[in-house]
């Protein structure tokens, strides 16, 4: 695991390198889901939109950093990818095309409301939803592993709307050996 | 339909037709029970008296049959004898007792022996005398044996006091699974380190659970101190449930996007996929007591609801129609009810039962934090569940109809997914 400091450093490097992909065509965006709750859901800062884009053939380290920064969020009890998530996944697909050897893992996570077993299934669907989108963009299915973290891997253990919103997420990482 | 009604025979009346007390419905009234501090016959017994006393008091107060009277109100001399002829029953009548329990404790080497006598206060008569023994180091077990004798005397059924719970406790990094006595005491580690959760107890006392030991959720089986992988196929396998005869297991497995229900032999061989809804979740299978049906959760209708289907597959039938978030079904060993967790209109999680035949919903908890993950006792009279009413999620028991909600006397911590077994 990288320390926060390391991540933000590589992130800045990426920021410089990442110009140009944002313009790529987006797939039709599914309407935002009607969230039962979580109107207050805010998306914690991760990859700042629009400014950054990946370079062809950048070092795998940069890909790892991009993956680490690429976090997508969900509404309560929902697996629908929102427009912001689609932008991030478009960018991720671009980077994966630039690194055809790389294999990645998507981990789907839930907030700790609701029951544990259902949240395992929901985490699985969240991870699979991101994979399905990347596969639709032409990334080989064999390059993407999905894992459910259920509600077992919170990034924020508080019981509050913003903490729950932060915990409902897909995380991406480079699979070992790639 | 089998009535979910516990008939308590009160053999106190000398008449042939003993009065009958129903444990459910408007006629039920917990029996006022006075339990005097145990009398000790030697120093060895004295050393264990308090532990036995605590366990016995908890058993009487938490099982739902009795109203355990406060000792501070007792009028009788603490040194009063233990035989009917030496007891002044008027003193017990005057504190409202209908039943009086007295225990004598003696030690014999490393064994502890307990004599329990039960008296009808109104008749002034001894109705039951039992003697049990246990190694001194298992003092609580002696208490549970004595409590079971009392439970059986009133109900003609096996009591819950020597049954077991499996549950998880949060750690800094994950969750550990333990197996404990019915009251949460004497926890034995089943799987510690990393993320271990969703335990269930099989009919032979084995514990199945879900663990991330190999990096993704797999099913594991613990027997006699050793844990091994049982189902590690697919991308996610969770929530093992043992069939009542122990010959099959049901679980939730995702190979693709959505979790589906599977049934396999007990050793995980010959798995069969019973649901097939590629974009909808199917999870949390629970067996009917006859092993013919499964209750499970699916969001195929848009929101998570409890469904029923044959354990051989076939069409699923939706059972719950109220609310938009119903999960974790557990089928009563008596067959008539399924307990489940629901998210109510105020976004609180609470416990309900649904009658399998009529679909009638009964609310069990309300206005006391979040209450989740109900699991029936083997005799179907009690439920264990988690509640956040006092802070972190804690283990509680209550009667199947929501009465007598009692926290288990366990260490501080955050507990989840309790399961009740033999």
């Amino acid at each position: 695991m990288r320390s926060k400091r390391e991540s933000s450093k590589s992130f800045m490097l990426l920021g410089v390198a990442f110009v140009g992909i944002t313009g790529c065509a987006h797939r039709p965006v599914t309407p935002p889901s009607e969230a039962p709750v979580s109107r207050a859901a805010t998306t914690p800062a991760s990859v700042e939109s629009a400014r950054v884009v990946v370079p062809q053939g950048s070092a795998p380290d940069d890909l790892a950093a991009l993956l680490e920064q690429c976090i997508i969020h969900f509404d309560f009890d929902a697996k629908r990818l929102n427009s912001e998530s689609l932008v991030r996944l478009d960018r991720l697909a671009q980077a994966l095309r630039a690194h055809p050897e790389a294999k990645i893992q998507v981990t789907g996570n839930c907030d700790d409301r609701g029951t544990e077993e259902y949240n395992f299934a929901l985490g699985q669907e969240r991870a699979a939803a991101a994979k399905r989108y990347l596969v639709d963009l032409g990334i080989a299915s064999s390059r993407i592993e999905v894992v459910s973290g259920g509600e077992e891997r919170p990034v924020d253990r508080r019981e509050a709307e913003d903490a729950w919103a932060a915990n409902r997420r897909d995380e991406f990482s480079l699979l070992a050996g790639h | 339909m089998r009535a979910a009604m516990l008939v308590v025979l009160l053999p106190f009346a000398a008449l042939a037709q003993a009065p009958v007390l129903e444990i459910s419905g408007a006629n039920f009234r917990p029996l006022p029970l006075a339990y005097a501090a145990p009398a000790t016959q030697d120093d060895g017994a004295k050393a264990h008296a308090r532990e036995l006393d605590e366990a016995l008091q908890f058993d009487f107060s938490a099982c739902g049959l009795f109203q355990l009277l406060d000792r501070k109100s007792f009028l009788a001399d603490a040194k009063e004898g233990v035989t009917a002829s030496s007891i002044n029953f008027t003193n017990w009548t005057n504190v409202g007792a209908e039943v009086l329990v007295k225990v004598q404790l003696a030690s014999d080497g490393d064994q502890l022996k307990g004599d329990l006598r039960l008296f009808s206060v109104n008749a002034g008569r001894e109705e039951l005398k039992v003697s049990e023994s246990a190694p001194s180091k298992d003092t609580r077990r002696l208490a549970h044996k004595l409590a079971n004798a009392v439970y059986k005397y009133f109900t003609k059924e096996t009591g819950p006091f020597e049954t077991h719970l499996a549950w998880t406790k949060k750690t800094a990094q994950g969750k550990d699974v333990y197996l404990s006595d019915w009251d949460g005491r004497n926890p034995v580690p089943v799987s510690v380190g990393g993320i271990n959760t969703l335990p269930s107890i099989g009919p032979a006392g084995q514990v199945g659970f879900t663990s991330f030991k190999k990096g993704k959720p797999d099913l594991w089986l613990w027997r006699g101190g050793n844990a091994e992988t049982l189902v590690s196929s697919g991308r996610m396998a969770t929530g093992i449930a043992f069939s009542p005869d122990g010959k099959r297991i049901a679980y939730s497995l995702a190979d693709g996007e959505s979790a589906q229900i599977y049934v396999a032999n007990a050793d995980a061989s010959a798995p069969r996929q019973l649901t097939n809804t590629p974009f909808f979740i199917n999870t949390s299978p629970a067996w009917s007591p006859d092993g013919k049906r499964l209750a499970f959760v699916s969001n195929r209708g848009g929101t998570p609801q409890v469904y029923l289907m044959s354990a051989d597959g076939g069409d699923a039938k939706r059972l719950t129609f109220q609310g938009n978030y119903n999960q974790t079904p557990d089928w009563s060993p008596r067959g008539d009810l399924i307990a489940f967790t629901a998210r109510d209109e105020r976004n609180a999680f609470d416990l309900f039962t649904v009658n399998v035949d009529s679909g009638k919903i009964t609310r069990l908890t309300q206005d006391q934090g979040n209450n989740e993950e109900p699991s029936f006792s083997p005799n179907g009279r009690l439920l264990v569940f988690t509640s956040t009413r006092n802070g972190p999620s804690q283990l509680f028991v209550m009667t199947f109809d929501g009465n007598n909600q009692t926290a288990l006397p366990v260490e501080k911590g955050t507990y989840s997914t309790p399961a009740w077994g033999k």
Side-chain angles (χ1 to χ4, degrees), chain B residues 227-303:
Chain B
E228 57 189 34
T229 322
L230 192 60
V231 175
S232 186
S233 59
R235 297 193 174 97
M236 182 205 85
T238 62
I240 184 170
F242 298 95
S243 67
D245 65 5
K247 291 180 178 161
R248 288 173 295 169
I249 54 172
Y251 52 94
S252 175
L253 183 138
D255 231 344
E257 182 149 346
S258 293
Q260 304 295 331
I261 304 290
Y262 284 71
V263 166
N265 294 328
D267 61 359
S269 64
R272 281 188 59 204
Q273 184 180 338
L274 297 193
T275 57
N276 187 13
T277 57
F279 295 101
F280 296 102
I281 289 170
N282 301 274
T283 188
S284 298
W287 293 87
S288 63
D290 64 6
K292 290 181 178 161
R293 288 191 284 175
L294 291 168
F296 65 101
V297 172
S298 180
N299 65 356
R300 63 184 66 183
T303 59

Side-chain angles (χ1 to χ4, degrees), chain B residues 207-226:
Chain B
V207 178
F209 59 97
T210 302
S211 178
F212 275 79
K213 281 178 196 294
K214 293 183 174 175
K216 63 184 178 59
D218 292 321
L219 298 184
W220 288 66
L221 183 66
W222 178 91
R223 261 182 304 205
N226 291 317

Side-chain angles (χ1 to χ4, degrees), chain B residues 136-147:
Chain B
S136 300
K137 61 179 174 53
D138 294 333
T139 299
R140 297 186 71 89
R141 202 166 107 216
L142 177 59
H144 297 322
K145 285 178 168 186
L146 294 171

Side-chain angles (χ1 to χ4, degrees), chain A residues 142-175:
Chain A
S142 59
R143 295 178 61 193
I144 309 166
E145 282 294 316
V146 297
V147 172
S148 175
E151 60 177 74
E152 314 297 329
R153 300 171 186 273
V155 286
D156 189 336
R157 289 180 180 265
R158 290 174 306 122
E159 297 294 323
E161 280 296 344
D162 59 335
W164 293 325
N167 291 334
R168 294 189 298 266
R169 73 203 190 280
D170 277 352
E171 284 183 355
F172 300 82
S173 57
L174 207 52
L175 275 176

Side-chain angles (χ1 to χ4, degrees), chain B residues 87-366:
Chain B
I87 294 172
N88 180 351
F89 285 100
T90 310
N91 280 338
W92 295 105
T93 308
N94 287 345
V95 297
E98 293 182 25
V99 183
L100 171 64
V101 167
K102 293 216 168 192
V103 172
Q104 266 183 312
L105 206 54
S107 66
D108 180 8
D110 57 5
Q111 289 284 305
L112 207 57
K113 182 169 168 278
D115 291 336
L116 178 147
R117 288 180 168 87
L118 186 149
F119 305 91
S120 153
V121 172
N122 291 336
R125 191 173 59 217
E126 182 178 305
E127 302 287 350
L128 173 71
K129 185 186 175 210
V130 283
S131 292
E132 292 283 1
S133 56
S136 300
K137 61 179 174 53
D138 294 333
T139 299
R140 297 186 71 89
R141 202 166 107 216
L142 177 59
H144 297 322
K145 285 178 168 186
L146 294 171
N148 263 340
V150 172
Y151 193 97
K152 188 152 204 169
Y153 173 74
F154 284 112
T155 65
K156 313 298 175 217
E157 290 182 4
T158 303
F161 310 117
E162 289 182 88
T163 60
H164 294 88
L165 303 178
W167 36 265
T168 70
K169 191 176 181 195
K170 218 176 226 180
T171 63
Q173 298 305 324
K175 285 172 181 165
D176 294 338
V177 171
Y178 291 88
L179 182 65
S180 74
D181 293 349
W182 94 286
D183 52 9
R185 303 292 290 267
N186 292 327
V188 173
V190 167
S191 188
V192 298
I195 297 167
N196 309 279
T197 187
L198 296 168
S200 66
I201 303 176
Q206 71 272 45
V207 178
F209 59 97
T210 302
S211 178
F212 275 79
K213 281 178 196 294
K214 293 183 174 175
K216 63 184 178 59
D218 292 321
L219 298 184
W220 288 66
L221 183 66
W222 178 91
R223 261 182 304 205
N226 291 317
E228 57 189 34
T229 322
L230 192 60
V231 175
S232 186
S233 59
R235 297 193 174 97
M236 182 205 85
T238 62
I240 184 170
F242 298 95
S243 67
D245 65 5
K247 291 180 178 161
R248 288 173 295 169
I249 54 172
Y251 52 94
S252 175
L253 183 138
D255 231 344
E257 182 149 346
S258 293
Q260 304 295 331
I261 304 290
Y262 284 71
V263 166
N265 294 328
D267 61 359
S269 64
R272 281 188 59 204
Q273 184 180 338
L274 297 193
T275 57
N276 187 13
T277 57
F279 295 101
F280 296 102
I281 289 170
N282 301 274
T283 188
S284 298
W287 293 87
S288 63
D290 64 6
K292 290 181 178 161
R293 288 191 284 175
L294 291 168
F296 65 101
V297 172
S298 180
N299 65 356
R300 63 184 66 183
T303 59
Q305 299 290 343
V306 178
Y307 287 75
L308 302 178
M309 69 177 165
S310 162
D312 299 320
D315 286 347
K317 183 187 129 216
R318 183 168 163 180
L319 181 62
T320 55
F321 290 89
Q322 276 172 260
N324 58 11
Y325 202 81
N326 297 320
Q327 299 177 351
T328 68
D330 191 55
W331 208 312
S332 165
R334 311 185 84 83
D336 54 344
L337 300 175
I338 289 173
F340 61 97
T341 308
R343 188 164 184 259
D344 71 11
E345 61 283 352
R346 286 171 297 176
N347 292 337
F349 292 90
D350 271 308
L351 302 181
F352 296 79
T353 54
V354 54
N355 185 290
V356 175
D357 295 318
S358 69
K360 184 183 169 241
I361 302 273
T362 304
R363 184 173 196 125
L364 306 183
T365 61
Q366 190 157 21

